[in-house]
Amino acid sequence: MNVSVSAEQKLTPMMEQYRSIKKTLPQDTVLFFRLGDFYEMFFEDAVRCSEMLDITLTGREGGEAGRVPMCGIPYHAFQGYVRTLLDFNLKVAICEQIGDPKLAKGLVERKVTRIISPATYLDDEGKGKQFEYMAAVTRDGKMIAVSYLELSTGEFYVREFPQDRFQSELTLLAPREIILPRSLGEEGPIVSFVKERLNASLTLYDDWIFELDEAFRFLQEGFHLASKQSISFHDHALAVRASGAVLYYLKDHLHSALGHIRLPELLEANEFMVLDRQTQKSLELVSSMQGAKNDPTLLSVIDQTLTSMGGRTLYQWVTHPLLSVEEVRKRQDSVLDLIKNSRELHAARLLLKGVKDMERTLSRLNYGVANARDLINLLVFFEKVPELQGHLARFESAVLREISGRIKPFPDIQDLVRRAIAENPPLGLKDGGIIRDGYCAELDELRNISRNGKSWILDFQKREIERTGIKTLRIKYSQVFGYTIEVSQSNLHAVPSDYIRRQTLANAERFIVPELKDWDEKISGAEDKIKALEYRIFNEIRETLLKDLDPLQAMARAVGILDALASLAFVALQKKWVRPTIVDSTELLIEKGRHPVVEAMLPAGLFVENDCFLDSGESQLIVLTGPNMAGKSTYIRQVAHIVLLGQIGSFVPAASARIGLVDRIFTRIGASDDLARGESTFMVEMVETAHILQKATRRSLLILDEVGRGTSTFDGVSIAWAICEHLAQCPARPRTLFATHYHELTQLEEHFPAIKNYNITVKETGDGIIFLRKVVRGGSDRSYGIHVAKLAGIPKNVIERASQILNILESENTEATQIIEGKKEDQKSKKAAAQPTLFDWATSNHPILEELRMLGLDGLTPLQALNKISEWKERLTTKN
């Protein structure tokens, strides 16, 4: 079969029509070409779709091109096939037959009615609790604007932030589609990030589409705005440019029903805690570090929502912790209100169970792709509203009172749907069976004709069998020939003379008689009218319902917030979590804290509780030592999780907690190579650490685990030491947890009042060690690495030899206090101590000395060296 066609080859008229339409489509778009009851694909689309969709590849005559590849799917079952293609980041253009094929003279007219892309598919409910954003990105200097729309819910936001946060912000959003100006699309690192890291579909537009005047025009036309001032952020040019590009994309893909989309809202950068990409990954907020779908995460532990709306709301909260004490306390008040009225909480949750996704249902109704079952799903919730209102009336918190005001009955809509829509309607809208008997007199009359006609058909078949003696005679129906009399080949000799042949089959012939033809016209005409009338009635009901679209959407959002709050309350009750005190300071006090995810995986009561106290004064930096597997990483992550939970308004796993607002959580946990970028474990570690030291503020929380272990011991100790010194002396002085195996760092406490030593205890026994998991004051002087190796199953002879070597090394060990000795006078006079350079710390036989000289780093302090490395990386990335 011929996949490609040359310009000189003449195709059949239909194939010419197909190719002319296909040429107008965006790249990576599959054309669904309507032929009767099927959507057909041809040429290269047929070849790749037959494999992706697991359907049979056939062929069709294409003129001079010969037989061309073809495959097809039933038009009424296209949703699942479209979803599969979207998962491959392809787009699907729906090309429909325009007008009635029976009336067409020659080739049936066809045109593309819409282009479905990964973020614009509204026809099914397969998305669940997941967001499917499309995001437009534009840049001006070092500032980025990202405008993002969830078409299925109508949520439309825009944010502006520095360019260095681009990857982190996009990772949080996880958009299905990215829209870029062509000039940005020419930058390799950005395109690589979008396609490989985000696995998103990418669309490039000419830069003029992102110009300010054009953006204002797109927004004013799309939302029917009288002036630019109607856009709340009209004075934010970058945000306007990004938002306008989203509207252009919708128009370009033939999406015109935008009534359910809200005006874009500018989210200020100071509203939410910043969570960079490394922090999101290290803390396993919404996905595990391994990326397995069912691995536990912080979100999975607290997500007890019962609706898709509630699940999306909670996801938004976890990825965007609040920075307003007042807003956090409002949520906390609501959670506490629900906990105090636990009977009402459980009753409300029972009513939410089974509620369908109203936000997306309303969007489908506005978009014209909803079905009658969507109306039944709305009716089910409407019937629950009075009882739900009764329970909500008992709550006193401001947020719950506001929710109660938005969840209200819609009696007119409820009555209309109950009277008009069948109890169990079919999925299709154009095949009849969706409107109840008794709702429309005209429809009832047509149905009587149809039912009586079918009874007449059965009676006519019985009479013809008696008249002809052909016991196998049957009345058959086809869309082409209507009702006909079918007689098998073996009985053709008994066919009466008044039978008129209409169709020849392989083993039978089909006939008509005038009487059957008359009834065929009556029945077929009635059934066609029934289907058309039912479809018209459904659309009238839809339009009536859409008159209340705004309050219905507000109710749907309120249900999502209620479900999310109820989930937090349910978890707090179930797990005995407490309300933290959120304050506008730099203190952090946690009493008997627990790791929410690890605790959920253990039997009740087995997790060992631990305290934590940090501030910007004399407990600003904790150096945490202890053996491998003792729980250092669990402890420092636990503190970060409790802070984050507190700032989304959740209760926390602790006996008590007092949390001074954190503007950013930084993490440097674990070792990882970036082979694609040619970066070693240590380079990745240093770049991330440099970023933290540059960006941390007085309100930040730093979680640093084993910084410096990616290089030699002396190098690692030196860098870790210098980092601690810097953090204890810099103007920001961020709250820091520094877990390490470098026991030399415990000497820092003697010279820096802000640094405190803690360790995780173990108990030595005759057979080895027992991990007690308890964090106590003081430093540890042993790593117990050989004991851990023994527990891991390292062969006995290796363990014995390792013990011998350790004894030799320990006997030659000397204290490394000379680094500090020269600074005591400075400490007494409270002057900042100058950091030694890397050259000062290198010995004559140091393996890295020559490399430092070659790189020009030997005269720099460790912090300066880290900054220089980061600067080189940024230049290299920009160049690539």
Side-chain angles (χ1 to χ4, degrees), residues 696-709:
T697 72
R698 188 175 180 80
R699 288 191 176 277
S700 300
L701 175 64
L702 277 54
I703 305 298
L704 305 177
D705 190 12
E706 306 291 359
V707 173
R709 70 176 176 178

Side-chain angles (χ1 to χ4, degrees), residues 131 236 240 269 327 350 469 507 518 524 615 756 773 783 800:
F131 286 102
H236 289 255
V240 171
E327 292 301 316
L350 279 175
N507 298 309
D518 291 342
S524 297
D615 62 14
K756 294 292 182 288
R773 315 289 185 193
S783 289
E800 292 174 351

Side-chain angles (χ1 to χ4, degrees), residues 104-156:
K105 295 180 179 178
L107 193 62
V108 177
E109 183 184 356
R110 293 178 176 88
K111 77 171 184 177
V112 173
T113 56
R114 59 178 170 144
I115 300 174
I116 303 171
S117 58
T120 63
Y121 189 42
L122 307 181
D123 295 57
D124 68 2
E125 293 188 3
K127 302 174 185 180
K129 296 179 179 181
Q130 301 300 312
F131 286 102
E132 293 201 331
Y133 287 120
M134 68 174 71
V137 180
T138 190
R139 181 177 66 190
D140 186 4
K142 293 187 176 181
M143 289 298 293
I144 290 273
V146 174
S147 184
Y148 50 102
L149 167 68
E150 227 291 1
L151 188 63
S152 68
T153 67
E155 296 179 14
F156 196 179

Side-chain angles (χ1 to χ4, degrees), residues 465-617:
I465 289 173
E466 292 175 353
R467 179 164 82 98
T468 63
I470 304 172
K471 294 183 179 181
T472 57
L473 181 148
R474 293 291 181 269
I475 306 299
K476 297 287 187 177
Y477 178 79
S478 71
Q479 287 190 331
V480 177
F481 296 102
Y483 287 100
T484 57
I485 304 166
E486 184 174 292
V487 179
S488 63
Q489 291 282 357
S490 59
N491 289 303
L492 289 179
H493 65 278
V495 169
S497 60
D498 60 338
Y499 276 25
I500 303 169
R501 181 180 282 104
R502 292 299 302 271
Q503 186 181 15
T504 299
L505 303 176
N507 298 309
E509 298 277 353
R510 287 180 176 176
F511 305 87
I512 61 166
V513 293
E515 186 180 14
L516 178 60
K517 183 179 179 181
D518 291 342
W519 272 98
D520 177 33
E521 291 174 356
K522 289 181 183 179
I523 297 169
S524 297
E527 289 182 347
D528 289 342
K529 290 177 182 177
I530 287 170
K531 292 173 183 177
L533 181 57
E534 287 201 55
Y535 183 63
R536 191 187 80 199
I537 293 171
F538 175 85
N539 282 322
E540 289 171 355
I541 296 169
R542 183 178 71 89
E543 292 298 328
T544 300
L545 187 146
L546 289 176
K547 292 176 182 177
D548 288 312
L549 180 60
D550 287 345
L552 286 168
Q553 284 185 311
M555 180 169 71
R557 290 192 292 273
V559 170
I561 296 171
L562 173 62
D563 192 18
L565 291 169
S567 176
L568 295 180
F570 180 77
V571 169
L573 275 171
Q574 189 182 52
K575 299 178 180 292
K576 297 183 173 58
W577 289 5
V578 300
R579 175 176 180 165
T581 301
I582 307 297
V583 293
D584 192 6
S585 72
T586 58
E587 62 184 307
L588 176 56
L589 174 61
I590 299 170
E591 181 187 2
K592 296 182 178 179
R594 310 184 300 277
H595 192 297
V597 181
V598 176
E599 183 187 34
M601 299 168 65
L602 296 175
L606 286 190
F607 190 89
V608 178
E609 303 164 334
N610 279 300
D611 302 338
C612 179
F613 176 65
L614 288 169
D615 62 14
S616 58

Side-chain angles (χ1 to χ4, degrees), residues 411-421 439 541 544-545:
D412 292 342
I413 294 176
Q414 188 173 338
D415 177 66
L416 176 61
V417 174
R418 188 187 292 115
R419 288 188 299 107
I421 304 299
Y439 177 74
I541 296 169
T544 300
L545 187 146

Side-chain angles (χ1 to χ4, degrees), residues 57-338:
L57 180 67
T58 61
R60 186 184 182 101
E61 186 59 37
E64 292 181 3
R67 194 166 176 80
V68 301
M70 179 184 82
C71 66
I73 58 172
Y75 84 95
H76 55 77
F78 80 102
Q79 288 92 342
Y81 295 106
V82 170
R83 173 61 63 187
T84 300
L85 293 176
L86 297 180
D87 289 341
F88 282 100
N89 277 340
L90 295 174
K91 298 177 182 179
V92 178
I94 305 297
C95 181
E96 298 288 3
Q97 297 174 163
I98 306 303
D100 189 344
K102 297 177 182 177
L103 304 178
K105 295 180 179 178
L107 193 62
V108 177
E109 183 184 356
R110 293 178 176 88
K111 77 171 184 177
V112 173
T113 56
R114 59 178 170 144
I115 300 174
I116 303 171
S117 58
T120 63
Y121 189 42
L122 307 181
D123 295 57
D124 68 2
E125 293 188 3
K127 302 174 185 180
K129 296 179 179 181
Q130 301 300 312
F131 286 102
E132 293 201 331
Y133 287 120
M134 68 174 71
V137 180
T138 190
R139 181 177 66 190
D140 186 4
K142 293 187 176 181
M143 289 298 293
I144 290 273
V146 174
S147 184
Y148 50 102
L149 167 68
E150 227 291 1
L151 188 63
S152 68
T153 67
E155 296 179 14
F156 196 179
Y157 299 106
V158 61
R159 297 186 70 179
E160 296 177 335
F161 43 80
Q163 183 175 338
D164 62 1
R165 283 170 48 189
F166 169 73
Q167 293 192 4
S168 298
E169 295 294 341
L170 266 291
T171 302
L172 273 178
L173 286 177
R176 289 298 310 276
E177 294 187 63
I178 301 284
I179 306 158
L180 294 178
R182 205 167 297 279
S183 58
L184 268 183
E186 292 171 355
E187 298 186 15
I190 291 180
V191 173
S192 174
F193 172 73
V194 169
K195 290 189 173 182
E196 296 171 16
R197 297 292 180 92
L198 295 179
N199 189 31
S201 172
L202 177 62
T203 298
L204 300 179
Y205 282 135
D206 291 339
D207 285 24
W208 68 265
I209 289 167
F210 291 80
E211 291 178 359
L212 185 60
D213 289 342
E214 294 298 327
F216 273 124
R217 182 169 66 84
F218 298 146
L219 289 167
Q220 287 180 254
E221 290 177 357
F223 289 104
H224 307 292
L225 303 176
S227 69
K228 298 175 182 178
Q229 282 66 35
S230 300
I231 302 168
S232 61
F233 52 91
H234 59 86
D235 53 344
H236 289 255
L238 204 58
V240 171
R241 288 166 55 195
S243 302
V246 172
L247 267 291
Y248 179 85
Y249 179 89
L250 293 175
K251 181 180 179 181
D252 186 44
H253 286 65
L254 307 178
H255 298 280
S256 56
L258 307 181
H260 68 288
I261 298 178
R262 287 180 274 171
L263 272 169
E265 177 185 351
L266 176 66
L267 300 180
E268 297 292 347
N270 59 2
E271 291 184 53
F272 307 108
M273 180 192 293
V274 176
L275 298 167
D276 63 34
R277 193 157 58 99
Q278 181 61 35
T279 298
Q280 299 163 35
K281 179 181 177 182
S282 299
L283 297 183
E284 299 184 304
L285 300 183
V286 296
S287 62
S288 70
M289 293 183 74
Q290 288 72 33
K293 188 174 182 180
N294 296 319
D295 281 356
T297 63
L298 181 63
L299 179 62
S300 71
V301 168
I302 65 171
D303 187 0
Q304 296 295 321
T305 57
L306 299 167
T307 70
S308 296
M309 298 164 286
R312 290 194 298 272
T313 300
L314 193 57
Y315 180 99
Q316 192 77 6
W317 291 356
V318 169
T319 55
H320 294 81
L322 298 170
L323 289 182
S324 164
V325 173
E326 182 183 358
E327 292 301 316
V328 172
R329 288 176 179 170
K330 280 184 181 179
R331 277 192 201 160
Q332 289 181 326
D333 289 344
S334 302
V335 174
L336 181 61
D337 203 0
L338 288 161

Side-chain angles (χ1 to χ4, degrees), residues 548-750:
D548 288 312
L549 180 60
D550 287 345
L552 286 168
Q553 284 185 311
M555 180 169 71
R557 290 192 292 273
V559 170
I561 296 171
L562 173 62
D563 192 18
L565 291 169
S567 176
L568 295 180
F570 180 77
V571 169
L573 275 171
Q574 189 182 52
K575 299 178 180 292
K576 297 183 173 58
W577 289 5
V578 300
R579 175 176 180 165
T581 301
I582 307 297
V583 293
D584 192 6
S585 72
T586 58
E587 62 184 307
L588 176 56
L589 174 61
I590 299 170
E591 181 187 2
K592 296 182 178 179
R594 310 184 300 277
H595 192 297
V597 181
V598 176
E599 183 187 34
M601 299 168 65
L602 296 175
L606 286 190
F607 190 89
V608 178
E609 303 164 334
N610 279 300
D611 302 338
C612 179
F613 176 65
L614 288 169
D615 62 14
S616 58
E618 295 190 355
S619 293
Q620 177 238 325
L621 190 152
I622 288 177
V623 174
L624 181 65
T625 50
N628 283 311
M629 295 178 59
K632 297 191 300 297
S633 296
T634 297
Y635 174 73
I636 60 178
R637 283 188 174 102
Q638 164 185 313
V639 173
H641 277 166
I642 289 174
V643 167
L644 191 144
L645 285 170
Q647 288 187 217
I648 70 169
S650 172
F651 284 26
V652 299
S656 67
R658 186 175 177 85
I659 301 171
L661 278 179
V662 170
D663 64 351
R664 297 182 70 152
I665 297 177
F666 290 98
T667 63
R668 166 87 279 281
I669 297 174
S672 60
D673 290 346
D674 194 338
L675 298 178
R677 297 176 184 269
E679 296 175 356
S680 68
T681 296
F682 184 60
M683 173 60 87
V684 171
E685 180 181 344
M686 290 299 97
V687 168
E688 292 175 356
T689 304
H691 171 74
I692 293 171
L693 298 183
Q694 292 164 3
K695 299 295 182 180
T697 72
R698 188 175 180 80
R699 288 191 176 277
S700 300
L701 175 64
L702 277 54
I703 305 298
L704 305 177
D705 190 12
E706 306 291 359
V707 173
R709 70 176 176 178
T711 186
S712 67
T713 301
F714 287 141
D715 290 349
V717 171
S718 301
I719 291 172
W721 189 304
I723 288 170
C724 289
E725 280 190 0
H726 170 78
L727 292 171
Q729 297 178 101
C730 69
R733 298 190 66 190
R735 291 161 285 182
T736 303
L737 292 167
F738 197 108
T740 184
H741 280 294
Y742 297 140
H743 301 120
E744 294 86 349
L745 301 188
T746 60
Q747 299 173 53
L748 288 163
E749 181 179 0
E750 301 173 17

